[in-house]
Amino acid sequence: MREPLLKSISPRSLLGDRAVWPGDEQYDMQRRVWNGVHDRRPAVIARCVNADEVSGVLRWARSEGLAVSVRGGGHNVAGSAVADDAVMVDLTLMNSVDVDPVAMVVMAGGGALLRDLDAATTTHGLACPAGVVSHTGLGGLALGGGYGWLARKWGLTCDHLVTAEVVLTDGSIVEASLADHEDLFWALRGGGGNFGVVTRFTLRLRNVAPVVHQTGVYALATTEEALLAYAAFAEQQQLDLHTVGAVKTAGHHEWIPERLRGKPALFLTAGWFGPEPDGPDAIAPLFRSVPPDGRLDQVLSYAALQALGDHSEPAGNRYFTKSCYLGDVTSAAAAALVDAGHAITSPLSSIDFEFLRGAIADVLDVESAFPNRDAPYIVTASAQWTNVGEDATHARWSRQTVDSLALWQHGGAYVNYVQDTRHQSTMDLYGDSRYRRLAATKSLYDPENVLPHNQNIPPVVTRP
Ligand SMILES: Cc1cc2nc3c(=O)[nH]c(=O)nc-3n(C[C@H](O)[C@H](O)[C@H](O)COP(=O)(O)OP(=O)(O)OC[C@H]3O[C@@H](n4cnc5c(N)ncnc54)[C@H](O)[C@@H]3O)c2cc1C
């Protein structure tokens, strides 16, 4: 453990021009986050380049009685990286990534994006399982869990954490691992940004090869039937296969029949991560019983796969996300998804779902703070639009979509997809006993809740 500096130094002296204040030319640009609905004004933006600077900023914030928000990639739908009147510790410049291909680990700065991670690892034929859009931040994603293409085969991003360098809110710098600060290490794997600022993640790597990737598109008229076939297939699929679905407006691509373009449709996509020649046979049953109206088959590098979704969710548009886990896809649940597709209020919105389990569920529930490992499906109603006056309309569609699935919900929700904090409390996300353990850990590492801007777990208040 490294002890904090004794003196509290203002970010102006510590960071010079990298401390951005209201009124500075850079201020409006640097306070922006991915979700354009959030327009918040921090007290100062501290653009740190190393753990010592983060330590200095945390100590100053505490001495001034200011709360701190942390910006990794700035992608959280709830915009938790930025808060009015708080000190924003901006880790954007801490994005360096070093790979040790022999030990099969990667060391990534707390502000690295998934594209920084993938660019460094895939040149070695390696990858750390992570999310599916390359401009997402590793920091928030890994601390909340981290679903992605490789999750069924190898587990979540947080399951690949070996050590984390963490700056605690008293300014001290610790390494958390199974051997050191085990309680903190447990909490960092699923408990979000509650416990300190992670300035370096060391993550385990896996071998990756070209990916067999196939997508089928269906008219909404056959979607209910196709969804039931998907569920029957997905629950039996091999671990090397990951399948995802989306109900969204079909684009104007050659492989999509003209009559479907511009209308809501179902897309089922399979990615095969086993030996390439075996991919087509493994995927074939997905499309056999209900053949799609159009199909795109391709073989992609893992890096290309990771960048496929990059253009559909640009920074600055307006977003509202509500998500839940599903226990089952019955025909009534499938019909509810079709109805939500008909009711979609924006051509940019989508309902995304996927079958989970596999290696995610193989990790013992007590091993990490990440909850709901046994959840079969995750469904997310992701509303996206551009006109400021339409916020309520699209948020309502997202909420109603998830509410319409209430009968089949598995309970809980994925912490990284929670925007509607009024309706999804943090305790509901984690469940009682896990929440209590997280709150006890918070009391040890951030007893004054200096880091409240996350899916917050307030420290336990001990009465004399
Ligand atoms: C387009 C898009 C695609 C996505 N795809 C996936 C996906 O495939 N799989 C998936 O699991 N999730 C996905 N997500 C959700 C994603 O995991 C969350 O949005 C996550 O919060 C993003 O992390 P970030 O660092 O970019 O966010 P930020 O907004 O910067 O931070 C989010 C939270 O984490 C904290 N935080 C961030 N970095 C650190 C750090 N280094 N130390 C301490 N606290 C930190 C922040 O304080 C904040 O509370 C996606 C999100 C978007 C917008």
Side-chain angles (χ1 to χ4, degrees):
M1 187 205 295
R2 274 149 61 193
E3 292 300 331
L5 298 166
L6 285 178
K7 239 174 71 196
S8 149
I9 305 169
S10 116
R12 202 182 299 278
S13 320
L14 194 66
L15 308 178
D17 287 353
R18 287 186 285 104
V20 182
W21 303 85
D24 286 355
E25 206 186 313
Q26 292 277 306
Y27 181 75
D28 281 333
M29 197 180 81
Q30 300 300 344
R31 71 189 175 87
R32 264 185 229 151
V33 287
W34 169 81
N35 187 350
V37 303
H38 304 299
D39 178 21
R40 300 181 186 141
R41 303 185 64 82
V44 59
I45 302 166
R47 310 197 74 216
C48 300
V49 296
N50 58 43
D52 287 326
E53 287 188 353
V54 173
S55 164
V57 172
L58 285 175
R59 279 176 43 71
W60 176 79
R62 261 182 90 192
S63 70
E64 297 292 312
L66 291 168
V68 173
S69 74
V70 183
R71 182 197 169 103
H75 263 50
N76 195 272
V77 275
S80 47
V82 61
D84 285 330
D85 305 320
V87 176
M88 185 206 241
V89 171
D90 180 354
L91 302 175
T92 310
L93 301 173
M94 295 179 65
N95 64 348
S96 71
V97 179
D98 294 306
V99 180
D100 181 340
V102 177
M104 290 189 57
V105 291
V106 60
M107 279 71 68
L113 303 182
L114 300 190
R115 67 169 162 242
D116 302 319
L117 182 75
D118 290 334
T121 58
T122 53
T123 54
H124 300 278
L126 300 168
C128 178
V132 300
V133 171
S134 82
H135 44 81
T136 309
L138 170 67
L141 178 125
L143 294 170
Y147 290 117
W149 284 109
L150 300 174
R152 277 174 35 79
K153 182 166 180 166
W154 280 313
L156 304 166
T157 312
C158 70
D159 298 334
H160 288 74
L161 189 65
V162 182
T163 64
E165 179 185 71
V166 190
V167 185
L168 303 178
T169 51
D170 67 359
S172 55
I173 303 172
V174 301
E175 278 294 327
S177 67
L178 274 180
D180 272 316
H181 298 281
E182 199 193 336
D183 50 355
L184 176 61
F185 188 63
W186 173 85
L188 292 176
R189 289 171 295 148
N194 272 285
F195 307 96
V197 182
V198 179
T199 42
R200 194 185 58 243
F201 294 90
T202 302
L203 298 153
R204 236 162 11 113
L205 293 173
R206 307 289 188 170
N207 289 302
V208 281
V211 182
V212 179
H213 186 269
Q214 299 185 1
T215 300
V217 62
Y218 301 81
L220 272 195
T222 49
T223 287
E224 190 180 322
E225 214 188 330
L227 279 173
L228 291 175
Y230 166 73
F233 172 79
E235 290 172 25
Q236 307 295 325
Q237 69 194 338
Q238 299 178 48
L239 282 182
D240 280 336
L241 194 59
H242 192 84
T243 49
V244 300
V247 174
K248 62 183 180 184
T249 304
H252 292 260
H253 307 287
E254 230 170 67
W255 67 276
I256 296 177
E258 247 181 87
R259 67 193 158 80
L260 299 190
R261 294 181 197 165
K263 299 191 180 110
L266 169 70
F267 291 78
L268 294 180
T269 299
W272 170 256
F273 299 92
E276 190 184 325
D278 301 342
D281 282 350
I283 298 170
L286 172 64
F287 298 123
R288 198 172 289 142
S289 59
V290 187
D293 295 292
R295 210 169 110 180
L296 177 68
D297 295 0
Q298 47 192 337
V299 176
L300 300 166
S301 69
Y302 179 76
L305 172 73
Q306 285 293 89
L308 266 191
D310 280 7
H311 301 297
S312 55
E313 292 169 295
N317 279 0
R318 305 177 80 77
Y319 296 89
F320 185 92
T321 294
K322 185 150 185 176
S323 180
C324 66
Y325 292 112
L326 274 197
D328 203 4
V329 177
T330 62
S331 67
L337 285 169
V338 174
D339 288 346
H342 282 297
I344 212 161
T345 49
S346 163
L348 302 176
S349 298
S350 64
I351 307 164
D352 302 296
F353 54 89
E354 62 196 289
F355 182 71
L356 302 168
R357 290 219 167 122
I360 303 164
D362 288 345
V363 175
L364 285 182
D365 198 47
V366 292
E367 277 183 25
S368 69
F370 187 82
N372 303 305
R373 284 185 179 274
D374 61 340
Y377 297 90
I378 187 165
V379 180
T380 306
S382 187
Q384 181 186 165
W385 66 102
T386 52
N387 291 336
V388 177
E390 296 175 8
D391 292 8
T393 304
H394 304 297
R396 192 179 316 118
W397 169 79
S398 169
R399 286 195 184 103
Q400 282 175 351
T401 298
V402 170
D403 292 349
S404 74
L405 299 169
L407 277 181
W408 307 281
Q409 285 183 23
H410 176 269
Y414 177 35
V415 65
N416 277 345
Y417 292 162
V418 173
Q419 182 164 4
D420 210 359
T421 41
R422 271 184 306 139
H423 297 103
Q424 283 180 311
S425 83
T426 312
M427 193 185 280
D428 291 342
L429 300 184
Y430 289 102
D432 260 18
S433 64
R434 191 181 303 267
Y435 182 85
R436 269 188 266 116
R437 185 169 168 192
L438 283 163
T441 312
K442 175 85 170 174
S443 316
L444 289 176
Y445 290 96
D446 181 18
E448 294 166 20
N449 208 3
V450 174
L451 294 168
H453 299 295
N454 34 54
Q455 303 307 329
N456 196 236
I457 299 160
V460 181
V461 180
T462 45
R463 293 192 173 77

